[in-house]
Amino acid sequence: MSTGQQLYLTGVTLFYALAVPAGAVLYFRKARVDRPPVGTFNGRDIVVMMGFVLALPFVYLALPGAALPTVLALVFAGGLTVGYQPVVGRTPVRWALIVALLAADLAGHRLLGADSPVYWLANSAIVGLIVVSATNLNVQGGMRLRHIAWFVLALAVYDLTFATVFPLTQELVAAIQGYPFAPSAGLRIGGLGAVIGMGDLLAYALYTTAAYKAYGRAGLRLAVVLVTVFGAVTPTVAPLVVEAVTGHLPGLVPAQVFFGPAAFAGYLALRRRGPERRMAEILAAPVPAGEDQVSSVRLTPVSGANRWIASGS
C-alpha cells in the first residue's frame, strides 16, 4: 500500500468515524424521542442485542441476491422514518425526503456503478442518518454507557472470532459487493477506496453519545479521543504493522478488536467520576446560559421499535 493510499484510507475512515457520532450527539442535544415502553435496559438486553448481531450475517447470506437490496432498502426506510419523526414532523415531507435519498442511492449505483463517488456519498448519507437515529432511540430510550461498554467489548470478541477463526465477515463483505444499499459508509475515487461498516459506526456513535449523556463534556472528550485513536487510526495503520512484521498484508482488520477493549477501559475511567447521569436528570436540569435549548418535539413509540433498531447494527 502506497503512502497516498494509506493517507486516503485513514482520512476517510477518520472523517466518518467522527462525523457520524458528532451527528448523533447533535441530535441528542436538539431533539427528544419518547422512551419506548420496553422497561429498563439490563444485561439481558445486551445478550439479545448480541444475538441479533450474531444472526444478522446469516440472514444476509441466506437471502437470494435479488432480495438482498430490497430487504436492505426496507430496513433503511424504516430506520429513517422512525428516527426522524421528531425532526421532520410532517409525514409526506419526511417520506419524500426518504424516497429521494433511496432513489439517489439506487440511481447512483445503477447508472454510475458500485465504485461511483455519487453512489458512495448517497449511501454513506443514508447509513450515517440511520446510525444517528438508532443511537438516539437507544441512548434516549435508557441504554447507559455501562451497557454499551460491555456490548462493544463483546463485539470485539465476536469480530475477532468471525474474522479469523470462522471467515464469516469476509463472506458477508463478498455477499454485499456489487449491490446497492450496502450497510457501510465510505468513498471510492479512481483507484482509491475506503469503507467503514455500519456496525462500527453504530458502536462509535452509541459510545460517544452515551458518554456525553453520562458524564457531559468530560465523557465526550474521552470518547472522541478513543474513537479517533482506536476506532479510526489504529485499525487503518495496523495492516502496515502486520505486513512489516510478517511480510503478509491482511485483507481485513476488525476495528472493534482495538476499540472494544479501549472503550471498556475508558468506561472504567469515567466511572470513577461517579454514577452516570440518567435521561430523567438531563430533562429536569436547567439549561445553562449559552447552551442550546432541547426541542420538545415528541416521537410516538412504535411497538418493538427500540429492539428492532438495536438489531440493525
Side-chain angles (χ1 to χ4, degrees), residues 82-125:
V82 171
Y84 291 96
Q85 186 172 340
V87 180
V88 186
R90 297 182 60 185
T91 300
V93 176
R94 186 169 65 255
W95 270 109
L97 293 173
I98 292 171
V99 171
L101 274 173
L102 295 176
D105 189 303
L106 183 61
H109 185 277
R110 296 300 188 199
L111 300 178
L112 302 175
D115 292 333
S116 164
V118 174
Y119 161 68
W120 276 106
L121 288 173
N123 198 79
S124 299

Side-chain angles (χ1 to χ4, degrees), residues 277-288 293-294:
R277 293 188 302 176
R278 297 175 180 269
M279 281 303 301
E281 299 173 54
I282 293 174
L283 292 173
V287 179
Q293 178 69 45
V294 173

Side-chain angles (χ1 to χ4, degrees), residues 46-89:
I46 303 304
V47 173
V48 171
M49 287 177 63
M50 282 307 302
F52 280 121
V53 170
L54 286 167
L56 200 59
F58 294 100
V59 174
Y60 282 160
L61 292 174
L63 288 171
L68 182 58
T70 302
V71 171
L72 289 173
L74 292 174
V75 171
F76 285 1
L80 290 171
T81 188
V82 171
Y84 291 96
Q85 186 172 340
V87 180
V88 186

Side-chain angles (χ1 to χ4, degrees), residues 5 17 44 66 71 98 113 127 144 151 162 172 178 187 209-210 220 222 224 235 248 254 257 259 310:
Q5 290 173 322
R44 291 189 300 274
V71 171
I98 292 171
V127 168
R144 301 169 64 187
F151 175 68
F162 286 100
L172 180 59
L187 185 62
T209 308
L220 178 62
L222 179 59
V224 169
H248 171 69
V257 171
F259 180 71

Side-chain angles (χ1 to χ4, degrees), residues 16-26 28 135 139 145 148-149 152 200-228 259 263 270 277:
Y16 285 116
L18 293 179
V20 174
V25 172
L26 181 62
F28 181 87
T135 295
V139 173
L145 182 60
I148 296 165
V152 295
D200 292 329
L201 291 174
L202 181 60
Y204 304 151
L206 282 170
Y207 189 85
T208 302
T209 308
Y212 176 69
K213 180 184 84 169
Y215 297 104
R217 295 190 178 184
L220 178 62
R221 285 193 295 268
L222 179 59
V224 169
V225 170
L226 293 177
V227 169
T228 299
F259 180 71
L270 287 172
R277 293 188 302 176

